[in-house]
C-alpha cells in the first residue's frame, strides 16, 4: 500500500496491467517490484484466483523495463563525463603500442566469437569446461561428434573376413589415458568431444549461411519464469498475451522433447526416456555420417552406416533460422503454438526454441530445466545477475531433491552387466590398459550391486535394519542405509567413482557397449539382448551412471533404499537400488548465489519456516522478504464447512483404520446423494488415492448409490493416465454448460455433473475449476501420506534432525487405533519418535495437498463455491489432538469464513441458502 512504501522510494507504475487492478493486486505488484529492487530471496503468497500470474508479469517485466532505462541514463551520463575528459586530453598522447594492443584485442575477440559460433552452433551458449563431478549427470543430454578410426587404431584390430567382425571396429573405444598414466588433468580420451554443442544441425548445414550475428550471446538482463507443469506454462503465456510485453519483449517457452517432438516415428515411442534417446541417437548418427563423409581423403578407413542420417526435422538449418525469425515476429508463443509452427514449417520446435534462449528477455520453462544444474548447463541458461521466479513453490523442496534421486532395477543391472561382459570378451585383446581397467571396474560394480538382492540383511549390520520394513503377507523387504555403509558392505569403497564417471563421459563407453550389443543381437536374431523390462540398454546404462553419480554425494546428504519386492501392484520391477536425496540447501544455494533475485511465488506457501530450514537455512530470518495477501472474493462467495456427521448420523472418520469400512463408504454416498439435490452445476470430490476412489466407486455401484447420483448429475472419473485428463475435463465442462443452459437431451432430471478426482493427481494441481465446474468441492478425509513409504520416512527423519528440536513444545505422537497393520509399523515408529519438525513436515504435506485441491475453485472475483471438508477431525477439539489441528493450516481467507458443524441438517440448510443467495447475485451482474 502507499503508506507502506519506504521513505524516498518512488511508487512504481504498472501501465501494462490490462484491467483496473484490485487493491491486493497493486500490493502484490509493489511487493514484487520492491523485492527485485532489493535483490536476494523473497516469498510472495497470493491465493489462487487473485490474478497472481498477471501481477507477476506486469511487475517483474516493468521492473526490467525501468532497470534498462535507468541503465541507459547512467551510461549516457558516464559517456558525457568521458567525452569531457577526452576533450581535455589529446588522444595522440596515448602510445601507439597501447592503441594497437586494444585494436588487436578487439579483433581477436571478434574472431573468437566467430569461431565459437561455427563450432558450437548459432544461438547457443558455450558451457564452461570447468565443471566438477556433478556435471556427469547429463551424460546423454549432449550429442557426441564421433570421428572415424585412424589407420593405427584400425590396424590394432585383428580383422577376419566375417562381415560382422569387419564392422566391429566402429564399437571400439578410443585409447584412454588416466591420471596415473601421465595426464595431470585427469583421464582423457583421444577422441574430440563436442559434448557441449547443443546444435543438431550438421557441419554442412552450418556452413550454409549459418553465421548470423543476430543470435550472438550478449550480456542482457533476463527473467526466468518456471512452474511445475506444461499446462501451467501455457497458462502463463496466455496471461502474458494480455499485456503489451508479449510483443515488446523477446519470449521463449521451453519444454520437454515429448511435448515438442513432431517426428511421428519418434513420438509414437510414447515413453519420454525412449523419445529422448531416439532423438539423441538420430543426432549422433547424423554427426557420425557427416564426419565420415568429410574425412574421405584423410586416409582413414571409411565405412557408411546403414543407420538413419539424423532427424528429418533438423536436416535443413535454414528452416531452423526461419523458425527463429518467425518466433521473433509472432511474439509470445506457448508450447502448442510452437509445435503448430514447427509442423507447418517442417522443422524441429524443440531445438528451435532452445536456440532463442540467449537472446530472450523472458524464458518460460518447467522446473526440471531450471532447478537441475545439468539441465541449466545443457540449455545454456545464464542465471548470473538475472531474475528467477519460481511459481507453485508450495512443494519446492521436495520437487528439487527428487530431481537428484536415482534408481536402477535388477533387470537393468543384469542387462548392463551382460552387455559389458560380451563387449569385454570381444575386445579384451585390443583394448588399451586404461580402457581395460575401467571396463573391468564397471563389471565389478555391476556384479556387486546384483549381489545386493541375494544377501541377507543381517550381513549389513544395524545400519541396514534401522528402517527395515517387512510385510509378512507378501514376503517383501525394503531397507535403507547410508552411502558409506552401502559401499563398505559391498567392498567397493576403494573405487574412485569420480574418475570412473569422468571415464564414462569422455570415452562414450555406454554408446559403444550398447551399440555393439544391439548389433550382435540383431545379427544373431537374439532379441533378448535388446534391453530389459525397463526399456533400452541405453536407459539401463543411464540408470547406472546416475546411481554412481549419487554415490559421490556426501554420506549424510541422502540414503540408499534397497527393495527386494519381485513386482509392484502396478506391475513394475520391484527389485531395485535407489538413492534418495534428502538435502536441497546446497543445490538451491547455487541458484540464489548466481541470480540477482529469486522469487518464490504460490497460493499456499505457509508455513514458511519449514521451507527456510530445508532450502536456505543459511539465510537469517530477518533477511527473507515475505508478502501475503487475502482473497479478492467477498465473504458471501465462499462457504467452507467441516462436515463431521452424515445424513444418517454416523460420524465421518476416514482415518487409516476406518476409511474402508462399508458404513463409512455408504454414509459418504448418502451425503453425495443429498448434495446433488442442492448443489447446482458441478461437484468435484477429492479422494486420498486412486485405489481408495476405485474401492468407493465399486461399492457405490453395487449398492445402487451411483444410480441415484446419476439421476441428478452425470458422473466422471479422473483417469490414472495424465494424457486422458484433458479430454475428460473437456467433456465434464461441456456437460455442465449444456445442462445448465436448459438443454436436457438424455436425462431431463440431470442438472450438472460430478467429477471423482484424486489428491495429488493432475486435476488437483493447477487445473482451473472456475464457475460451474467447481460449485462445490468435497474433500474426503485427511490425505496423509502412507507411513509405509520408506522414502518418505527417511525424509521425515532427516527433517526432524534439522537444528535443535525442543521436546517440551509438542508431546509424543499418540496414534491410537490408526496403528492397525504390520505394513505401517516402521513408519509409525518413526513418526512416534518425532518431537516437532518431522511431524510438522508430515502434517504440512497433507494440508498443502488439501489446500491445493480446494484452491481449484474460486478463480475470479465473481466466482462462488462451497467447500466441504468431510471428516470429524476437521471439527474436533484441537486440545485432544497431538497433531496440530488441520484447520490451523488452512489459508487465512478460508479460516476467516470457516464453519464447523456437527449436524448434517444444518449443513444442508446452509448450502441451500448459500446457493440461493449467490445464484440471485450472479443473475444480477
Amino acid at each position: 500500500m502507499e503508506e507502506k512504501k519506504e521513505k524516498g522510494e518512488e511508487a512504481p507504475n504498472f501501465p501494462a496491467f490490462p484491467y483496473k487492478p484490485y487493491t491486493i493486486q497493486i500490493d502484490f505488484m509493489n511487493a514484487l517490484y520492491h523485492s527485485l529492487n532489493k535483490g536476494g530471496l523473497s516469498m510472495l503468497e497470493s491465493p489462487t484466483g487473485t490474478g497472481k500470474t498477471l501481477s507477476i508479469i506486469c511487475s517483474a517485466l516493468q521492473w526490467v523495463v525501468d532497470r534498462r532505462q535507468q541503465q541507459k541514463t547512467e551510461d549516457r551520463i558516464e559517456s558525457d563525463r568521458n567525452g569531457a575528459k577526452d576533450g581535455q586530453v589529446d588522444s595522440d598522447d596515448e602510445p601507439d603500442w597501447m592503441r594497437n594492443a586494444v585494436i588487436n584485442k578487439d579483433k581477436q575477440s571478434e574472431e573468437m566469437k566467430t569461431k565459437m559460433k561455427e563450432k558450437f552452433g548459432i544461438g547457443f551458449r558455450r558451457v564452461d569446461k570447468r565443471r566438477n563431478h556433478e556435471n556427469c549427470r547429463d551424460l546423454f543430454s549432449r550429442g557426441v561428434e564421433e570421428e572415424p578410426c585412424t589407420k593405427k587404431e584400425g590396424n590394432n584390430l585383428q580383422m577376419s573376413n566375417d562381415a560382422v567382425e569387419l564392422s566391429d571396429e566402429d564399437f571400439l573405444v578410443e585409447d584412454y589415458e588416466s591420471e596415473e598414466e601421465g595426464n595431470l588433468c585427469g583421464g582423457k580420451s583421444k577422441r574430440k568431444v563436442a559434448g557441449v554443442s547443443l546444435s543438431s544441425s550438421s557441419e554442412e548445414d552450418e556452413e550454409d549461411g549459418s553465421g548470423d550475428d543476430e543470435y550472438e550471446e550478449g550480456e542482457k538482463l533476463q527473467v526466468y519464469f518456471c512452474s511445475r507443469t506444461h499446462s501451467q506454462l501455457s497458462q502463463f503465456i496466455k496471461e502474458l498475451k494480455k499485456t503489451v510485453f508479449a510483443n515488446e519483449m523477446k519470449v521463449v517457452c521451453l519444454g520437454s522433447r515429448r511435448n515438442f517432438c513432431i517426428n511421428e516415428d519418434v513420438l509414437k515411442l510414447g515413453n519420454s526416456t525412449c523419445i529422448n534417446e531416439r532423438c539423441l541417437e538420430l543426432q549422433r548418427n547424423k554427426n557420425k555420417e557427416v564426419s565420415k563423409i568429410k574425412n574421405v581423403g584423410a586416409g582413414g578407413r571409411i565405412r557408411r552406416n546403414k543407420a538413419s542420417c539424423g532427424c528429418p526435422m533438423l536436416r535443413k538449418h535454414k528452416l531452423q533460422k526461419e523458425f527463429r525469425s518467425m518466433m521473433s515476429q509472432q511474439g509470445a508463443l506457448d508450447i502448442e503454438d510452437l509445435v503448430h509452427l514447427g509442423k507447418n514449417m517442417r522443422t524441429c520446435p524443440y531445438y528451435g526454441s532452445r536456440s532463442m534462449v540467449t537472446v530472450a528477455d523472458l524464458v518460460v520453462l518447467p522446473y526440471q530445466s531450471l532447478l537441475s544444474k545439468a539441465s541449466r548447463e545443457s540449455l545454456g541458461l545464464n542465471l548470473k545477475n538475472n531474475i528467477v521466479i519460481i511459481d507453485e513453490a508450495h512443494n519446492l523442496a521436495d520437487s528439487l531433491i527428487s530431481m537428484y534421486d536415482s534408481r536402477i532395477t535388477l533387470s537393468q543391472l543384469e542387462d548392463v552387466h551382460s552387455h559389458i561382459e560380451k563387449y569385454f570378451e570381444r575386445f579384451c585383446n585390443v583394448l588399451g590398459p586404461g580402457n581395460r581397467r575401467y571396463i573391468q571396474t564397471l563389471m565389478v560394480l555391476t556384479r556387486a550391486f546384483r549381489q545386493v538382492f541375494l544377501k541377507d540383511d543381517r550381513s549389513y549390520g544395524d545400519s541396514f535394519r534401522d528402517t527395515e520394513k517387512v510385510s509378512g503377507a507378501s514376503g517383501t523387504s525394503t531397507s535403507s542405509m547410508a552411502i558409506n555403509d552401502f559401499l563398505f558392505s559391498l567392498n567397493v569403497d576403494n573405487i574412485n567413482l569420480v574418475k570412473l564417471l569422468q571415464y564414462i563421459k569422455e570415452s562414450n563407453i555406454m554408446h559403444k557397449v550398447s551399440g555393439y550389443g544391439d548389433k550382435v543381437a540383431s545379427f544373431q536374431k537374439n532379441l533378448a539382448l535388446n534391453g530389459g523390462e525397463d526399456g533400452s540398454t541405453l536407459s539401463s546404462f543411464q540408470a547406472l551412471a546416475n546411481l554412481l553419480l549419487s554415490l559421490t554425494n556426501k554420506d549424510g546428504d541422502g540414503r540408499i533404499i534397497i527393495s527386494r519386492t519381485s513386482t509392484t501392484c502396478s506391475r513394475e520391477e520391484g527389485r531395485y537400488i535407489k538413492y534418495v536425496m534428502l538435502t536441497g540447501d546446497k543445490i538451491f544455494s547455487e541458484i540464489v548465489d548466481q541470480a540477482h533475485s529469486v522469487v518464490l511465488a504460490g497460493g499456499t506457501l505457509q508455513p514458511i519456516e519449514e521451507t527456510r530450514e530445508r532450502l536456505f537455512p543459511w539465510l537469517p530470518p530477518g533477511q527473507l522478504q515475505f508478502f501475503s495477501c487475502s482473497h479478492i472474493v467477498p465473504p458471501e462467495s465462499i462457504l467452507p464447512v467441516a462436515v463431521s456427521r452424515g445424513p444418517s448420523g454416523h460420524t465421518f472418520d476416514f482415518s487409516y483404520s476406518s476409511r474402508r469400512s462399508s458404513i463409512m463408504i455408504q454414509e459418504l454416498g448418502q451425503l453425495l446423494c443429498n448434495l446433488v439435490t442442492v448443489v447446482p452445476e458441478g461437484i468435484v470430490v477429492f479422494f486420498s488415492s486412486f485405489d481408495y476412489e476405485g474401492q468407493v466407486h465399486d461399492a457405490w455401484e453395487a449398492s445402487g448409490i451411483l444410480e441415484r447420483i446419476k439421476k441428478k448429475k452425470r458422473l466422471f472419473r479422473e483417469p490414472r493416465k495424465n494424457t486422458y485428463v484433458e479430454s475428460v475435463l473437456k467433456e465434464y465442462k461441456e456437460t455442465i454448460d449444456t445442462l445448465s443452459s436448459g438443454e436436457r437431451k438424455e436425462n431431463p432430471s440431470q442438472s450438472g455433473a460430478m467429477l471423482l478426482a484424486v489428491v495429488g493427481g493432475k486435476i488437483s494441481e493447477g487445473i482451473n475449476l472456475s464457475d460451474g465446474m467447481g460449485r462445490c468441492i468435497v474433500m474426503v478425509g485427511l490425505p496423509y501420506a502412507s507411513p509405509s513409504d520408506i522414502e518418505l520416512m527417511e525424509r521425515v527423519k532427516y527433517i526432524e534432525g534439522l537444528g535443535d528440536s525442543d521436546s517440551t513444545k509438542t508431546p509424543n505422537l499418540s496414534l491410537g487405533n490408526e496403528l492397525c497393520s504390520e505394513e505401517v509399523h516402521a513408519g509409525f515408529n518413526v513418526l512416534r519418535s518425532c518431537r516437532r519438525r518431522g511431524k510438522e513436515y508430515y502434517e504440512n504435506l497433507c494440508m498443502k495437498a488439501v489446500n491445493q485441491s480446494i484452491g481449484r475453485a474460486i478463480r475470479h472475483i465473481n466466482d462462488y463455491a462451497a467447500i466441504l471438508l468431510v471428516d470429524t477431525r476437521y471439527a474436533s477439539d484441537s486440545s485432544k489432538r497431538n497433531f496440530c489441528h488441520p484447520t490451523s493450516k488452512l489459508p487465512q481467507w478460508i479460516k476467516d469464513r470457516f464453519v464447523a458443524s456437527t449436524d448434517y441438517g444444518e449443513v444442508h440448510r446452509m448450502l441451500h441458502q448459500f446457493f440461493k443467495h449467490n445464484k440471485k447475485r450472479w443473475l444480477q451482474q
Side-chain angles (χ1 to χ4, degrees):
M1 294 183 181
E2 296 288 332
E3 62 271 18
K4 291 184 178 180
K5 300 193 309 291
E6 292 185 5
K7 292 182 178 180
E9 181 182 343
E10 185 179 349
N13 295 316
F14 306 104
F17 204 89
Y19 319 111
K20 182 180 179 180
Y22 301 113
T23 302
I24 64 169
Q25 292 171 333
I26 295 175
D27 293 343
F28 184 93
M29 288 189 287
N30 282 331
L32 175 55
Y33 195 98
H34 173 71
S35 67
L36 296 180
N37 266 338
K38 189 175 180 181
L41 191 61
S42 58
M43 299 178 71
L44 280 73
E45 182 182 65
S46 181
T48 303
T50 56
K52 169 171 58 72
T53 302
L54 198 55
S55 299
I56 289 174
I57 292 169
C58 294
S59 180
L61 298 187
Q62 186 63 49
W63 184 86
V64 171
V65 170
D66 294 346
R67 184 77 169 182
R68 287 177 177 173
Q69 186 60 44
Q70 178 185 350
Q71 188 64 47
K72 285 182 181 179
T73 303
E74 292 175 355
D75 290 345
R76 187 168 58 251
I77 294 173
E78 184 67 24
S79 177
D80 292 342
R81 289 175 180 172
N82 292 335
K85 291 180 180 178
D86 291 341
Q88 296 171 2
V89 181
D90 192 346
S91 60
D92 288 339
D93 291 344
E94 189 177 65
D96 291 341
W97 64 266
M98 183 177 291
R99 287 201 300 270
N100 292 336
V102 172
I103 294 173
N104 290 334
K105 185 177 180 181
D106 292 341
K107 184 177 180 181
Q108 290 174 3
S109 177
E110 290 300 318
E111 290 176 352
M112 179 60 68
K113 286 183 179 180
T114 302
K115 289 180 180 179
M116 287 177 64
K117 284 168 56 185
E118 291 174 351
K119 183 175 181 180
F120 294 99
I122 298 303
F124 294 99
R125 180 180 283 109
R126 183 175 183 179
V127 182
D128 190 355
K129 289 184 177 180
R130 295 173 296 178
R131 300 173 181 166
N132 59 23
H133 66 272
E134 292 180 5
N135 300 358
C136 299
R137 178 175 296 277
D138 198 20
L139 291 171
F140 296 131
S141 66
R142 305 168 173 87
V144 176
E145 180 185 337
E146 299 184 21
E147 296 181 346
C149 296
T150 64
K151 271 188 176 181
K152 179 180 177 180
E153 292 164 335
N155 293 334
N156 283 338
L157 275 177
Q158 302 298 317
M159 306 300 292
S160 71
N161 293 326
D162 183 84
V164 175
E165 291 194 4
L166 279 172
S167 61
D168 285 355
E169 180 183 351
D170 290 335
F171 301 105
L172 180 65
V173 290
E174 303 283 338
D175 288 344
Y176 189 87
E177 297 177 359
S178 67
E179 185 175 329
E180 300 91 62
E181 294 168 337
N183 189 341
L184 298 178
C185 297
K188 191 167 186 178
S189 171
K190 292 181 178 179
R191 174 187 296 101
K192 171 187 173 185
V193 178
V196 291
S197 175
L198 299 177
S199 176
S200 299
S201 54
S202 69
E203 295 173 21
E204 285 182 319
D205 293 330
E206 289 172 3
E207 288 175 357
D208 187 15
S210 62
D212 225 358
D213 289 340
E214 179 183 356
Y215 297 101
E216 276 192 30
E217 177 184 348
E219 292 296 330
K220 64 185 301 183
L221 182 60
Q222 291 181 302
V223 176
Y224 293 93
F225 177 90
C226 71
S227 195
R228 300 182 62 196
T229 66
H230 288 93
S231 61
Q232 289 167 345
L233 298 180
S234 295
Q235 181 64 29
F236 177 87
I237 296 294
K238 182 180 178 181
E239 294 295 305
L240 178 64
K241 289 180 179 179
K242 297 177 181 179
T243 72
V244 296
F245 294 125
N247 296 316
E248 291 183 354
M249 290 194 166
K250 291 183 179 179
V251 182
V252 60
C253 187
L254 304 181
S256 65
R257 285 182 173 88
R258 181 172 184 175
N259 287 88
F260 269 117
C261 183
I262 59 174
N263 185 333
E264 294 298 332
D265 291 335
V266 176
L267 196 58
K268 68 183 181 182
L269 296 173
N271 180 276
S272 297
T273 302
C274 295
I275 290 174
N276 290 339
E277 287 178 5
R278 183 56 181 156
C279 175
L280 293 169
E281 182 184 353
L282 288 172
Q283 296 173 68
R284 284 190 295 271
N285 289 337
K286 186 174 185 179
N287 288 334
K288 185 175 183 179
E289 187 70 17
V290 170
S291 180
K292 289 184 176 182
I293 292 172
K294 284 184 171 291
N295 283 274
V296 169
R301 300 186 62 170
I302 306 303
R303 187 180 301 105
R304 283 183 178 273
N305 269 356
K306 293 181 180 179
S308 168
C309 283
C311 179
M313 301 302 165
L314 281 167
R315 284 177 183 161
K316 297 181 179 179
H317 184 75
K318 286 183 178 179
L319 287 180
Q320 282 282 290
K321 186 177 176 181
E322 292 175 11
F323 182 87
R324 294 192 289 264
S325 178
M326 291 296 291
M327 282 183 64
S328 299
Q329 293 175 22
Q330 296 187 21
L333 301 176
D334 63 15
I335 293 175
E336 188 175 337
D337 296 328
L338 292 168
V339 169
H340 182 70
L341 179 62
K343 286 181 177 178
N344 288 341
M345 299 182 65
R346 300 292 296 168
T347 190
C348 178
Y350 175 74
Y351 282 102
S353 60
R354 283 176 57 158
S355 65
M356 292 289 289
V357 167
T358 57
V359 297
D361 300 299
L362 172 63
V363 181
V364 183
L365 68 172
Y367 267 20
Q368 175 74 31
S369 300
L370 185 130
L371 298 179
S372 167
K373 182 178 181 180
S375 295
R376 291 197 303 273
E377 291 175 344
S378 175
L379 291 167
L381 305 184
N382 179 20
L383 305 185
K384 185 69 174 178
N385 296 326
N386 287 324
I387 308 301
V388 174
I389 300 175
I390 303 175
D391 198 16
E392 301 295 332
H394 53 281
N395 282 331
L396 177 61
D398 286 338
S399 298
L400 179 64
I401 63 175
S402 66
M403 294 176 187
Y404 291 82
D405 289 352
S406 58
R407 179 179 181 270
I408 189 168
T409 65
L410 176 58
S411 62
Q412 286 177 319
L413 279 170
E414 291 175 338
D415 187 35
V416 171
H417 189 76
S418 172
H419 275 74
I420 295 177
E421 278 191 331
K422 285 179 169 56
Y423 183 88
F424 189 74
E425 180 182 348
R426 169 65 184 87
F427 296 104
C428 178
N429 294 330
V430 293
L431 289 170
N435 282 315
R436 191 182 302 117
R437 182 172 62 255
Y438 280 114
I439 292 173
Q440 287 175 323
T441 302
L442 282 171
M443 289 194 291
V444 168
L445 283 171
T446 54
R447 191 179 299 115
F449 292 163
R450 289 166 64 211
Q451 290 299 312
V452 164
F453 302 100
L454 305 177
K455 285 190 175 186
D456 188 279
D457 288 345
R458 287 172 292 185
S459 63
Y460 293 99
D462 294 336
S463 61
F464 216 155
R465 296 196 298 273
D466 59 352
T467 56
E468 181 182 1
K469 180 261 293 180
V470 178
S471 174
S474 59
T476 63
S477 175
T478 305
S479 311
S480 74
M481 62 194 313
I483 295 177
N484 290 346
D485 292 334
F486 176 72
L487 296 175
F488 279 118
S489 68
L490 298 178
N491 294 319
V492 293
D493 54 290
N494 59 332
I495 295 177
N496 189 326
L497 297 179
V498 175
K499 289 184 179 179
L500 179 61
L501 284 163
Q502 184 179 0
Y503 168 76
I504 291 172
K505 181 180 180 181
E506 294 182 350
S507 69
N508 203 29
I509 184 65
M510 292 186 174
H511 293 99
K512 293 293 187 180
V513 174
S514 60
Y516 174 73
D518 291 342
K519 174 183 171 297
V520 171
S522 175
F523 179 76
Q524 298 177 348
K525 309 293 184 183
N526 183 3
L527 300 180
L529 284 176
N530 276 339
E533 298 176 5
D534 298 278
S536 69
T537 301
L538 212 52
S539 299
S540 301
F541 271 108
Q542 177 69 77
L544 176 63
N546 288 341
L547 180 64
L548 294 178
L549 178 62
S550 297
L551 294 175
T552 63
N553 286 315
K554 290 184 179 179
D555 190 50
D557 286 351
R559 297 281 288 183
I560 297 294
I561 308 292
I562 298 177
S563 171
R564 297 182 182 83
T565 309
S566 55
T567 56
T568 64
C569 58
S570 56
R571 298 182 180 178
E572 295 179 350
E573 171 69 53
R575 291 172 293 184
Y576 61 82
I577 302 172
K578 181 173 183 178
Y579 174 80
V580 179
M581 179 68 82
L582 298 177
T583 177
D585 59 308
K586 300 180 186 69
I587 304 169
F588 193 66
S589 66
E590 293 180 355
I591 298 173
V592 176
D593 291 344
Q594 292 181 55
H596 164 74
S597 179
V598 176
V599 179
L600 308 185
T604 51
L605 296 182
Q606 301 186 65
I608 63 173
E609 183 61 21
E610 176 204 315
T611 303
R612 190 193 69 81
E613 288 183 337
R614 296 183 64 191
L615 289 183
F616 34 92
W618 32 265
L619 183 71
Q623 292 186 18
L624 174 64
Q625 305 167 66
F626 179 77
F627 171 84
S628 180
C629 63
S630 59
H631 212 293
I632 57 176
V633 296
E636 61 268 21
S637 296
I638 178 175
L639 179 64
V641 182
V643 184
S644 57
R645 293 182 183 274
S648 303
H650 292 289
T651 300
F652 282 125
D653 179 11
F654 291 97
S655 60
Y656 185 84
S657 60
S658 304
R659 64 185 180 188
R660 298 187 185 274
S661 71
S662 58
I663 295 177
M664 205 56 49
I665 292 175
Q666 294 305 311
E667 190 71 7
L668 178 62
Q670 293 291 340
L671 171 65
L672 294 182
C673 286
N674 281 270
L675 290 181
V676 297
T677 65
V678 69
V679 177
E681 302 175 292
I683 301 175
V684 183
V685 185
F686 283 103
F687 294 89
S688 57
S689 67
F690 279 106
D691 289 339
Y692 186 56
E693 184 271 342
Q695 181 184 357
V696 171
H697 177 273
D698 293 345
W700 287 349
E701 191 172 41
S703 65
I705 286 179
L706 276 188
E707 195 63 33
R708 293 171 57 188
I709 292 175
K710 290 178 181 179
K711 288 181 180 179
K712 289 290 186 181
K713 304 283 185 186
R714 186 178 171 188
L715 191 68
F716 293 87
R717 300 175 68 187
E718 179 176 4
R720 287 177 181 262
K721 289 189 176 181
N722 287 344
T723 51
Y724 301 140
V725 170
E726 186 175 346
S727 60
V728 171
L729 284 174
K730 182 180 179 181
E731 190 176 359
Y732 170 71
K733 184 180 187 305
E734 289 175 351
T735 299
I736 292 171
D737 292 342
T738 300
L739 295 177
S740 61
S741 65
E743 298 181 26
R744 303 285 190 271
K745 293 183 179 180
E746 297 179 2
N747 191 337
S749 64
Q750 285 186 339
S751 61
M754 178 182 291
L755 174 61
L756 306 183
V758 174
V759 175
K762 187 171 183 178
I763 292 177
S764 70
E765 295 280 350
I767 297 297
N768 187 337
L769 297 176
S770 63
D771 300 327
M773 292 182 71
R775 286 297 176 222
C776 181
I777 306 295
V778 180
M779 174 59 61
V780 180
L782 284 158
Y784 284 108
S786 173
S788 63
D789 185 346
I790 192 171
E791 296 176 28
L792 172 62
M793 290 303 111
E794 288 295 341
R795 288 200 297 271
V796 169
K797 289 199 305 178
Y798 176 81
I799 293 169
E800 175 66 19
L802 294 175
D804 296 322
S805 296
D806 186 354
S807 59
T808 62
K809 289 186 178 180
T810 308
N812 286 338
L813 177 62
S814 175
L815 296 166
N817 62 359
E818 291 189 7
L819 185 58
C820 59
S821 170
E822 286 189 22
E823 189 178 34
V824 297
H825 264 293
F828 276 127
N829 286 337
V830 171
L831 292 172
R832 185 181 291 108
S833 67
C834 290
R835 295 173 178 173
R836 182 166 64 90
R837 285 183 174 86
K839 190 164 57 176
E840 284 181 355
Y841 166 69
Y842 186 65
E843 297 168 356
N844 291 341
L845 275 180
C846 170
M847 291 310 299
K848 283 180 180 180
V850 170
N851 293 336
Q852 277 297 112
S853 300
I854 63 180
R856 298 310 92 213
I858 312 290
R859 310 295 295 190
H860 56 84
I861 193 170
N862 295 319
D863 206 352
Y864 64 94
I867 297 173
L868 304 185
L869 306 177
V870 185
D871 197 299
T872 188
R873 290 173 291 181
Y874 286 110
S876 63
D877 185 357
S878 60
S879 63
K880 298 179 181 179
R881 296 175 50 83
N882 286 327
F883 278 103
C884 292
H885 198 279
T887 57
S888 67
K889 297 182 183 294
L890 290 171
Q892 191 62 44
W893 62 277
I894 290 183
K895 283 193 290 186
D896 291 343
R897 308 157 198 189
F898 186 76
V899 178
S901 176
T902 58
D903 176 52
Y904 175 73
E906 181 186 358
V907 173
H908 198 86
R909 286 191 296 272
M910 285 190 294
L911 288 171
H912 178 75
Q913 294 172 0
F914 174 78
F915 287 112
K916 181 180 178 181
H917 169 75
N918 281 281
K919 185 177 181 180
K920 181 179 179 181
R921 190 169 59 90
W922 179 274
L923 293 174
Q924 292 174 349
Q925 291 175 4

